[in-house]
Amino acid sequence: MTERKPQTEPSATIPENLRAVKEEIAAAAKAAAREPGAITLVAVSKLQDEEKIRQALEAGHRVFGENRVQEAKAKWPQFRDSTPDIVLHLIGPLQTNKARDAVELFDVIESLDRLKLGRALADAMEKSGRRPDCLIQVNTGEEPQKTGVLPAEADSLIAACRDDLGLPVVGLMCIPPQDEEPSLHFALLDEIARRNGLADLSMGMSGDYAIAVRFGATHVRVGTGVFGPRLDPGTA
Ligand SMILES: *Cc1c(COP(=O)(O)O)cnc(C)c1O
């Protein structure tokens, strides 16, 4: 066990937050007659101070999410050197020309949302020999400003990426519209995953992860609930 710091120190809050979020996940799982171990907490560390990430690592947490390739490239290699069992998820939009970097850097790519990107990832995987798991991002709210494949086109993208390109597609991801009841979106994602035989469901953020667990999430992506407010992008 690592040494406990006094609770009055601000540095004590990350382990406490992690514990509280994990307890809430476990409670929501239990209420839904699910195994708490079936849900992975992806701690979203975008725009967070590196000291906070260090505290999460010290507390034993290993699974993290970043939404930008450039930022992750600057932050994570140093942590990986000292902690080889880190699992890093890409949860933000991915440009085709960053596919190679993403394949090198991430263990899971959650934002596969179009065939052109699927082709770039397949090519990058063949060249690097690395095969990060892929999740197809679905734009369940059909919001024009958001990335993600439309629900009506999800089945064919899944088939093209998994069956034609041979990508390791293991699940689906969604980000529900901010001002809507998220449960309808979670249920839709679950339905698309079931009919395509996909096991992983990445859904639920700081405000709604307990609901997502009830609707079958296998991965919840929690940022501010673990690390507190994010830094201003301009200063990061
Ligand atoms: C930032 C982000 C999160 C985490 O959001 P919080 O509200 O801070 O928990 C989850 N998913 C995606 C795709 C994100 O970009």
Side-chain angles (χ1 to χ4, degrees):
M1 281 261 311
T2 51
E3 199 183 275
R4 277 272 175 80
K5 301 219 170 91
Q7 299 225 331
T8 46
E9 261 188 32
S11 58
T13 59
I14 302 294
E16 282 169 6
N17 290 347
L18 278 168
R19 203 175 319 125
V21 171
K22 284 173 184 174
E23 275 169 15
E24 196 170 334
I25 291 170
K30 221 172 153 198
R34 300 184 59 205
E35 281 294 325
I39 298 120
T40 301
L41 169 60
V42 180
V44 177
S45 49
K46 67 182 184 201
L47 297 173
Q48 295 288 354
D49 198 277
E50 293 185 7
E51 178 53 31
K52 291 186 173 180
I53 298 175
R54 207 163 287 123
Q55 288 169 23
L57 287 167
E58 266 173 35
H61 195 76
R62 292 294 179 267
V63 187
F64 295 87
E66 288 283 345
N67 74 331
R68 293 182 59 220
V69 173
Q70 283 309 110
E71 185 183 341
K73 216 173 157 180
K75 274 155 81 174
W76 283 96
Q78 50 161 341
F79 293 124
R80 283 213 194 259
D81 283 347
S82 49
T83 315
D85 57 340
I86 285 168
V87 179
L88 201 55
H89 289 233
L90 176 63
I91 60 171
L94 179 57
Q95 292 173 301
T96 310
N97 64 6
K98 299 255 171 65
R100 274 184 91 160
D101 281 348
V103 165
E104 291 293 339
L105 197 59
F106 291 93
D107 304 293
V108 181
I109 294 172
E110 299 200 11
S111 46
L112 173 52
D113 65 351
R114 59 202 191 279
L115 190 56
K116 191 176 171 215
L117 178 59
R119 287 201 193 97
L121 287 170
D123 188 51
M125 287 185 198
E126 197 180 308
K127 284 186 176 123
S128 73
R130 278 180 55 83
R131 287 179 63 77
D133 282 345
C134 294
L135 275 64
I136 304 269
Q137 183 178 349
V138 183
N139 185 355
T140 56
E142 307 191 23
E143 295 173 282
Q145 80 281 16
K146 262 196 195 150
T147 53
V149 66
L150 292 173
E153 292 160 13
D155 293 359
S156 63
L157 182 63
I158 293 164
C161 289
R162 179 178 57 187
D163 307 332
D164 303 344
L165 295 174
L167 287 169
V169 176
V170 298
L172 304 178
M173 183 268 247
C174 77
I175 310 169
Q178 290 230 320
D179 48 3
E180 278 182 37
E181 172 58 44
S183 53
L184 298 173
H185 298 272
F186 298 155
L188 173 60
L189 200 70
D190 180 50
E191 185 193 311
I192 299 170
R194 276 172 198 271
R195 71 172 181 246
N196 285 283
L198 294 171
D200 285 8
L201 284 176
S202 173
M203 54 193 200
M205 313 188 353
S206 292
D208 56 16
Y209 66 87
I211 302 170
V213 168
R214 250 183 280 141
F215 280 84
T218 61
H219 294 75
V220 294
R221 310 177 307 268
V222 181
T224 49
V226 169
F227 295 109
R230 283 183 273 277
L231 301 166
D232 184 332
T235 64

